[in-house]
Amino acid sequence: MKSAIYPGTFDPMTYGHLDIIKRAANIFDNVVVSVLDNKEKTPLFSVSERVNILKEATKDIPNVSVESFSGLLIDYCKERGIYVIVRGLRAVTDFEYELQMSQMNRKLSDHKVDTVFFNTTLKYSYLSSSSVKQIAQFHGDLKAFVPDFVADLLYERYKNK
Amino acid sequence: MKSAIYPGTFDPMTYGHLDIIKRAANIFDNVVVSVLDNKEKTPLFSVSERVNILKEATKDIPNVSVESFSGLLIDYCKERGIYVIVRGLRAVTDFEYELQMSQMNRKLSDHKVDTVFFNTTLKYSYLSSSSVKQIAQFHGDLKAFVPDFVADLLYERYKNK
Amino acid sequence: MKSAIYPGTFDPMTYGHLDIIKRAANIFDNVVVSVLDNKEKTPLFSVSERVNILKEATKDIPNVSVESFSGLLIDYCKERGIYVIVRGLRAVTDFEYELQMSQMNRKLSDHKVDTVFFNTTLKYSYLSSSSVKQIAQFHGDLKAFVPDFVADLLYERYKNK
Amino acid sequence: MKSAIYPGTFDPMTYGHLDIIKRAANIFDNVVVSVLDNKEKTPLFSVSERVNILKEATKDIPNVSVESFSGLLIDYCKERGIYVIVRGLRAVTDFEYELQMSQMNRKLSDHKVDTVFFNTTLKYSYLSSSSVKQIAQFHGDLKAFVPDFVADLLYERYKNK
Amino acid sequence: MKSAIYPGTFDPMTYGHLDIIKRAANIFDNVVVSVLDNKEKTPLFSVSERVNILKEATKDIPNVSVESFSGLLIDYCKERGIYVIVRGLRAVTDFEYELQMSQMNRKLSDHKVDTVFFNTTLKYSYLSSSSVKQIAQFHGDLKAFVPDFVADLLYERYKNK
Amino acid sequence: MKSAIYPGTFDPMTYGHLDIIKRAANIFDNVVVSVLDNKEKTPLFSVSERVNILKEATKDIPNVSVESFSGLLIDYCKERGIYVIVRGLRAVTDFEYELQMSQMNRKLSDHKVDTVFFNTTLKYSYLSSSSVKQIAQFHGDLKAFVPDFVADLLYERYKNK
């Protein structure tokens, strides 16, 4: 059974992430979406909030589960016994960073953990969690970018800021 | 059962192609390597020579088969009932071309045929069929770039030119 | 009155070109779409066929006219008394080539002729005249890429090949 | 009457910005240069200082005015009734970021607000507000990069740091 | 006698840096490796620690010396009477930033100080000081990336964090 | 004594090439400019014409000599006992191709032959032999791009075409 991990910050998940999740779920038997718990950053949503958003958004896709991890991705892959990482590619700058990460991960795992890339669906190619947060901050329209319940959480969060 | 098609010109196959084939064969149940029969180009090796080279080089990988096709890739995918295309990415210029092709193929197939990308293993990242042919032409050393039997075919071919 | 020239090969015009024409026509008082008559290339459609396609496709945009030119773009701009060139940008490789051309044109005109760039509308970002011709050759569906009358001309042309 | 907005941080304005302003003023009837008041950043110069620098530097260009704005650019465009954004492109990394922003702005405005790009004049292509600040900090020569009165303001500012 | 300066942050030096140092030492009579003392950043290792690591790692290369500098690179070059800067290039994003810096440095020195670039050896092309620090933080294996004594210093440093 | 080879097609030499030659001659004891005799291409100028143009243009630089070669660059380097290749970089697309060639050359020479890169001087960054030929063909002004005697040769050549 072929499983894959889709790691990320997901602060918050956008339709761009959801598109990659669905396409990976078409190809792999199981897809573990895993939220990186990075102690050095100050995200808008906590790890458990981000996990819950992803769980809600993927509840109808049977072969997707949602988790979180801290530390090195490669250690987490070994621990979970999953040897394929899934990543999306939007642009050239993404491409170079992702390529370096995937080379590093192959080296650190003695070439056991490989990465497969999906190109972003065109209509989400300009989309990022940070642009979504910026729009939310100024009460812009989010319905093309995130599910409604995520938009509500974003507006709520910025009301208190 | 998840199958994937790895299409290309393979004139001739290099260790860079073989690396992508092996890594795809680790992830997919079946990998069909398919040589494009492009009537508008004048390749060094005929379609059947290129198919034979690939067959010889992949004979020990049980879930890999080798074929050829002409016409639109997307028609060939439908005909074969395979909905995943595999491609390797070496560099930024590759990336843009490949991304445009994969968007076109998703559009032409009503989003049914998707493309997954592998990054090239570093030691093959500067390798291409055309650089291999150029080296062969001047009797340079090919052993790091293609299997020995392919090197012999290349030297032989250029002797007669 | 501000006029602009949109030069190109247009062999044939696609919806990607038409999108740039419409957006340029929103900004400039007049837009002259001009087909490059390049003696060194062998296009699928003659210069007059390409001009006619563009005329038909833009007949409802009052401030657009269609012409052809040969020689240096900068000489043609001077002759027509138009000092703005319009170009579309799809990708990074486009960007570098276009940037070099625009620098060359500014130099050759003593900085009198400037270039303004539009980014391609996302849904046309993978589209090119050559991919359209390749699809036409194998009777693929063109309705998302060119107007119907252009598709018919393409199928007709390849029937005779 | 065609107007355009040239938004930016301008901390401080360089000759690179001034070049884009002049070229946009050649093409559009009015150019509104507008300083982004971003509460989350700590610029070297206040919004009113940055506006004053731009006013002084553009005082001889009759169709240029200087303002400031906060919030989403697209809301500001609607409020001012201006539907064209002007941006300069220096390099590939600029290009990708600017392209994503322009796609986002078209989406947020129902394709009403468009962006046109100018390539940077070669002699300013390595120039940025942050490199200018770094040079000022160590008393380097600024006369090729900013007007003299801006250089004086920069040296003055860093004397007190 | 041709000398060159190889400036950088080196926090800490990796095998990627050491590779550039050795290749520069093959070409230039003397190579001065110089650690940038940037007061605005908070590095993991102090300037003198970084200098000592470089001295230890290069002790067997007779024509390499190690120093530190603060302020503008171009002033430091003039002070040391060295007119060639050496830099490594890993990727396209590197390339653009480095190109802008080298153009700026040529301008600031009246074209007296030039920059020569080496491409990174493939096996180090995904390597950076920050990825090394991230791996150290989670006790990952560093032996392919930095000399053993640097790995020990890194583990030690993060133990106390 | 450190020597370097600057290989190229030089059909014909432009001020961009001459700039790289001069800057390489500042750094290396000897610079051998070498014209590639590529039997598969049909250049405008013969190998001996291209060599003569380069000889005339570099006659006042004592440490520059001009030659030609055919076959693999790496064999020519070994034959001449020169282990440094000099190349200019204009743009990102250049960069990727050049990087792949330099990796190939290091591999083919057991890491004995290295490549150093110079960035193109800004005012020549849009310049190429092919754009110069295109301008010559239509009698455009060449004085900013090639020496006068090269411009005359170009106009003469196209008169007969």
Side-chain angles (χ1 to χ4, degrees):
Chain A
M1 204 169 73
K2 290 291 173 195
S3 299
I5 280 172
Y6 179 34
T9 303
F10 304 107
D11 184 40
M13 184 209 77
T14 67
Y15 279 139
H17 299 125
L18 197 54
D19 171 65
I20 300 293
I21 294 170
K22 285 176 182 169
R23 288 159 63 196
N26 273 339
I27 285 179
F28 295 97
D29 295 320
N30 285 294
V31 175
V32 179
V33 183
S34 199
V35 175
L36 172 60
D37 184 6
N38 185 341
K39 310 296 189 198
E40 295 185 348
K41 292 205 174 155
T42 50
L44 186 67
F45 294 103
S46 72
V47 168
S48 67
E49 287 172 318
R50 286 179 273 158
V51 166
N52 287 338
I53 288 171
L54 282 157
K55 280 187 172 163
E56 177 65 23
T58 62
K59 69 184 174 196
D60 297 331
I61 318 173
N63 60 335
V64 170
S65 61
V66 184
E67 302 184 353
S68 67
F69 76 105
S70 57
L72 290 180
L73 175 56
I74 217 70
D75 292 335
Y76 175 67
C77 288
K78 283 179 197 162
E79 197 186 298
R80 295 287 281 100
I82 303 181
Y83 299 101
V84 183
I85 297 166
V86 163
R87 296 290 292 160
L89 290 176
R90 276 175 311 178
V92 169
T93 33
D94 275 10
F95 170 64
E96 296 218 313
Y97 174 78
E98 294 292 341
L99 202 135
Q100 288 175 15
M101 288 306 296
S102 70
Q103 299 289 14
M104 180 62 93
N105 285 329
R106 288 188 79 201
K107 179 73 186 173
L108 285 171
S109 68
D110 288 320
H111 286 213
K112 286 206 190 70
V113 176
D114 212 340
T115 303
V116 300
F117 298 101
F118 290 80
N119 66 337
T120 300
T121 294
L122 280 175
K123 65 181 168 178
Y124 304 128
S125 67
Y126 54 84
L127 193 56
S128 67
S129 292
S130 47
S131 59
V132 160
K133 282 183 279 193
Q134 210 192 338
I135 296 167
Q137 205 172 344
F138 298 108
H139 314 291
D141 185 356
L142 290 171
K143 76 169 168 296
F145 309 135
V146 294
D148 287 352
F149 79 95
V150 179
D152 291 343
L153 287 169
L154 278 161
Y155 294 133
E156 181 71 24
R157 189 63 43 115
Y158 280 110
K159 208 175 61 188
N160 303 323
K161 288 224 162 178
Chain B
M1 203 168 73
K2 288 290 172 198
S3 299
I5 279 172
Y6 179 34
T9 304
F10 304 108
D11 183 42
M13 183 208 78
T14 69
Y15 279 140
H17 300 125
L18 197 52
D19 172 65
I20 301 293
I21 293 170
K22 286 177 181 167
R23 289 158 63 196
N26 274 340
I27 286 179
F28 294 97
D29 295 320
N30 284 293
V31 175
V32 178
V33 183
S34 199
V35 175
L36 172 60
D37 183 6
N38 185 340
K39 310 296 189 200
E40 297 187 345
K41 291 203 174 157
T42 50
L44 186 67
F45 294 103
S46 71
V47 168
S48 67
E49 287 172 318
R50 286 179 272 155
V51 165
N52 287 339
I53 289 172
L54 282 157
K55 280 187 173 163
E56 176 64 23
T58 62
K59 69 184 173 194
D60 297 330
I61 319 175
N63 60 335
V64 170
S65 60
V66 184
E67 302 183 355
S68 68
F69 76 106
S70 57
L72 290 182
L73 176 55
I74 218 69
D75 292 335
Y76 176 66
C77 288
K78 282 179 199 162
E79 195 187 299
R80 295 286 282 101
I82 303 182
Y83 299 101
V84 183
I85 297 165
V86 163
R87 296 291 292 160
L89 290 177
R90 277 176 313 177
V92 167
T93 32
D94 276 8
F95 170 65
E96 296 217 315
Y97 173 77
E98 294 292 342
L99 203 134
Q100 288 175 17
M101 289 306 296
S102 69
Q103 299 289 12
M104 180 62 91
N105 286 329
R106 290 188 79 202
K107 179 71 187 175
L108 285 171
S109 67
D110 288 321
H111 286 215
K112 286 204 190 70
V113 176
D114 211 340
T115 303
V116 300
F117 298 101
F118 290 80
N119 66 337
T120 301
T121 294
L122 281 176
K123 64 180 168 178
Y124 304 127
S125 66
Y126 53 85
L127 194 54
S128 67
S129 293
S130 48
S131 59
V132 161
K133 282 182 279 194
Q134 209 192 341
I135 295 167
Q137 203 173 346
F138 299 108
H139 314 290
D141 186 356
L142 290 171
K143 76 167 169 296
F145 309 135
V146 295
D148 287 351
F149 80 96
V150 178
D152 291 344
L153 288 169
L154 279 160
Y155 294 134
E156 183 69 23
R157 189 63 44 117
Y158 280 109
K159 209 176 58 189
N160 303 324
K161 289 224 164 181
Chain C
M1 201 167 74
K2 289 291 172 197
S3 299
I5 280 172
Y6 179 34
T9 303
F10 304 107
D11 183 40
M13 183 208 78
T14 69
Y15 280 141
H17 299 124
L18 197 54
D19 172 64
I20 301 292
I21 294 170
K22 285 177 182 168
R23 288 157 64 197
N26 274 340
I27 286 179
F28 294 97
D29 295 320
N30 285 292
V31 176
V32 179
V33 183
S34 199
V35 174
L36 173 59
D37 183 6
N38 185 341
K39 309 296 189 200
E40 297 186 345
K41 293 203 173 156
T42 49
L44 186 67
F45 294 102
S46 71
V47 168
S48 67
E49 287 172 318
R50 287 180 271 155
V51 165
N52 287 339
I53 289 172
L54 282 158
K55 279 186 173 165
E56 176 65 22
T58 62
K59 68 184 174 195
D60 296 331
I61 319 174
N63 59 335
V64 170
S65 59
V66 184
E67 303 184 355
S68 68
F69 76 105
S70 58
L72 291 180
L73 175 55
I74 218 70
D75 293 335
Y76 175 66
C77 288
K78 282 179 198 162
E79 197 186 299
R80 295 287 281 100
I82 303 182
Y83 299 101
V84 183
I85 297 166
V86 163
R87 296 291 291 159
L89 290 175
R90 276 175 314 177
V92 168
T93 32
D94 275 9
F95 170 64
E96 295 217 316
Y97 174 77
E98 293 292 341
L99 202 133
Q100 288 175 16
M101 288 307 295
S102 69
Q103 299 289 11
M104 181 61 92
N105 285 330
R106 288 188 79 202
K107 179 72 187 173
L108 285 171
S109 68
D110 289 320
H111 286 214
K112 285 204 189 72
V113 176
D114 212 341
T115 304
V116 300
F117 298 101
F118 290 80
N119 66 338
T120 301
T121 293
L122 281 175
K123 63 181 169 177
Y124 304 128
S125 66
Y126 53 83
L127 193 55
S128 67
S129 292
S130 47
S131 59
V132 161
K133 282 181 280 193
Q134 211 192 339
I135 296 166
Q137 205 173 345
F138 299 107
H139 314 290
D141 185 355
L142 291 171
K143 75 168 170 294
F145 309 136
V146 294
D148 287 351
F149 79 95
V150 179
D152 291 343
L153 288 169
L154 279 160
Y155 294 133
E156 181 69 23
R157 188 63 43 114
Y158 280 110
K159 209 176 56 188
N160 302 324
K161 289 224 162 180
Chain D
M1 202 169 72
K2 289 292 172 195
S3 299
I5 279 172
Y6 179 34
T9 304
F10 304 107
D11 185 40
M13 184 209 77
T14 68
Y15 279 139
H17 300 124
L18 197 54
D19 172 64
I20 301 293
I21 294 170
K22 286 176 181 167
R23 287 159 64 196
N26 274 339
I27 286 179
F28 294 98
D29 295 320
N30 285 293
V31 175
V32 178
V33 183
S34 197
V35 175
L36 172 60
D37 183 7
N38 185 340
K39 310 297 189 198
E40 295 185 348
K41 292 205 174 155
T42 50
L44 186 67
F45 293 103
S46 72
V47 168
S48 66
E49 287 172 317
R50 286 179 273 156
V51 166
N52 287 338
I53 288 171
L54 281 158
K55 280 186 171 163
E56 176 64 24
T58 61
K59 68 183 173 195
D60 296 331
I61 317 174
N63 60 334
V64 170
S65 60
V66 185
E67 302 184 353
S68 67
F69 75 105
S70 57
L72 291 180
L73 175 56
I74 217 70
D75 293 335
Y76 175 66
C77 289
K78 283 179 198 162
E79 195 187 299
R80 294 287 280 101
I82 303 181
Y83 299 101
V84 183
I85 297 167
V86 162
R87 295 291 292 160
L89 291 176
R90 276 175 313 177
V92 168
T93 32
D94 275 9
F95 169 65
E96 296 217 314
Y97 174 77
E98 293 292 341
L99 203 134
Q100 288 175 16
M101 289 305 297
S102 69
Q103 299 288 15
M104 181 60 94
N105 285 329
R106 288 188 81 200
K107 178 73 187 174
L108 286 171
S109 67
D110 288 320
H111 286 214
K112 286 205 190 71
V113 176
D114 212 339
T115 304
V116 300
F117 298 101
F118 290 80
N119 66 337
T120 301
T121 294
L122 281 175
K123 64 181 170 177
Y124 305 127
S125 67
Y126 54 83
L127 194 55
S128 67
S129 292
S130 47
S131 59
V132 159
K133 282 182 278 193
Q134 210 191 339
I135 295 166
Q137 206 173 344
F138 298 108
H139 314 291
D141 185 356
L142 290 171
K143 75 168 169 295
F145 309 135
V146 294
D148 287 351
F149 79 94
V150 179
D152 291 344
L153 288 169
L154 278 161
Y155 294 134
E156 182 70 24
R157 190 62 44 114
Y158 280 111
K159 209 176 59 189
N160 303 324
K161 288 223 164 177
Chain E
M1 203 169 72
K2 290 291 172 197
S3 299
I5 280 172
Y6 179 34
T9 304
F10 304 107
D11 184 41
M13 184 208 76
T14 68
Y15 279 139
H17 300 125
L18 197 53
D19 172 65
I20 300 293
I21 294 171
K22 285 176 182 168
R23 288 159 64 196
N26 274 339
I27 285 179
F28 294 98
D29 296 319
N30 286 292
V31 176
V32 178
V33 183
S34 199
V35 175
L36 173 60
D37 183 6
N38 185 341
K39 309 299 188 197
E40 295 185 348
K41 292 202 174 157
T42 50
L44 186 67
F45 294 103
S46 71
V47 168
S48 66
E49 287 172 318
R50 287 180 272 158
V51 165
N52 287 338
I53 288 171
L54 281 158
K55 280 187 171 164
E56 178 64 25
T58 62
K59 69 183 173 195
D60 296 331
I61 318 173
N63 60 335
V64 170
S65 60
V66 184
E67 302 184 355
S68 68
F69 76 105
S70 56
L72 291 180
L73 176 55
I74 218 70
D75 292 336
Y76 175 66
C77 289
K78 282 179 197 162
E79 195 187 300
R80 294 288 281 100
I82 303 181
Y83 299 101
V84 183
I85 297 167
V86 163
R87 296 291 291 161
L89 289 177
R90 277 175 312 178
V92 168
T93 32
D94 275 10
F95 170 65
E96 296 218 313
Y97 173 77
E98 293 292 342
L99 203 134
Q100 288 175 14
M101 288 306 296
S102 70
Q103 299 289 14
M104 181 61 94
N105 285 330
R106 288 188 80 201
K107 178 73 186 174
L108 285 171
S109 67
D110 289 320
H111 286 213
K112 286 205 189 71
V113 176
D114 211 340
T115 303
V116 300
F117 298 101
F118 291 80
N119 66 336
T120 301
T121 294
L122 281 175
K123 64 180 169 179
Y124 304 128
S125 66
Y126 54 83
L127 193 55
S128 68
S129 293
S130 47
S131 59
V132 161
K133 282 182 279 194
Q134 210 192 338
I135 296 166
Q137 205 173 344
F138 298 108
H139 314 290
D141 186 355
L142 291 171
K143 76 168 170 296
F145 309 136
V146 294
D148 287 351
F149 79 93
V150 178
D152 290 344
L153 287 169
L154 278 161
Y155 295 132
E156 181 70 25
R157 188 63 44 113
Y158 280 110
K159 209 175 60 188
N160 303 323
K161 288 222 162 180
Chain F
M1 201 167 74
K2 290 291 173 199
S3 298
I5 279 172
Y6 179 34
T9 303
F10 304 109
D11 183 42
M13 183 208 79
T14 67
Y15 280 139
H17 300 125
L18 197 55
D19 172 64
I20 301 293
I21 294 170
K22 285 177 182 168
R23 287 158 64 196
N26 274 340
I27 285 179
F28 294 97
D29 295 320
N30 285 291
V31 175
V32 178
V33 182
S34 200
V35 174
L36 173 59
D37 184 6
N38 186 339
K39 310 296 189 199
E40 296 186 346
K41 293 204 174 156
T42 50
L44 186 67
F45 294 103
S46 71
V47 169
S48 66
E49 287 172 317
R50 286 180 273 155
V51 166
N52 286 339
I53 288 171
L54 281 157
K55 279 187 173 163
E56 177 65 24
T58 62
K59 68 183 174 195
D60 296 331
I61 319 175
N63 60 335
V64 170
S65 59
V66 184
E67 301 184 354
S68 68
F69 76 106
S70 57
L72 290 180
L73 176 56
I74 218 70
D75 293 335
Y76 176 66
C77 288
K78 282 179 197 161
E79 196 186 299
R80 296 287 280 102
I82 303 181
Y83 299 100
V84 183
I85 297 166
V86 163
R87 295 291 292 160
L89 291 176
R90 276 176 312 178
V92 167
T93 31
D94 275 8
F95 170 65
E96 296 218 314
Y97 173 77
E98 294 292 340
L99 203 134
Q100 287 177 15
M101 289 305 296
S102 69
Q103 298 290 11
M104 181 61 92
N105 286 328
R106 289 188 79 200
K107 179 71 187 174
L108 285 171
S109 67
D110 287 321
H111 285 215
K112 285 203 190 72
V113 176
D114 212 341
T115 303
V116 300
F117 298 101
F118 290 80
N119 65 338
T120 301
T121 294
L122 281 176
K123 63 180 169 178
Y124 304 127
S125 66
Y126 54 83
L127 194 54
S128 67
S129 293
S130 48
S131 59
V132 160
K133 280 182 281 194
Q134 210 192 338
I135 295 167
Q137 205 172 343
F138 299 107
H139 314 290
D141 185 356
L142 291 171
K143 73 168 172 295
F145 309 136
V146 294
D148 288 350
F149 79 95
V150 179
D152 291 344
L153 289 168
L154 280 160
Y155 294 133
E156 182 69 23
R157 189 63 44 117
Y158 280 110
K159 210 175 57 189
N160 303 324
K161 288 223 164 181

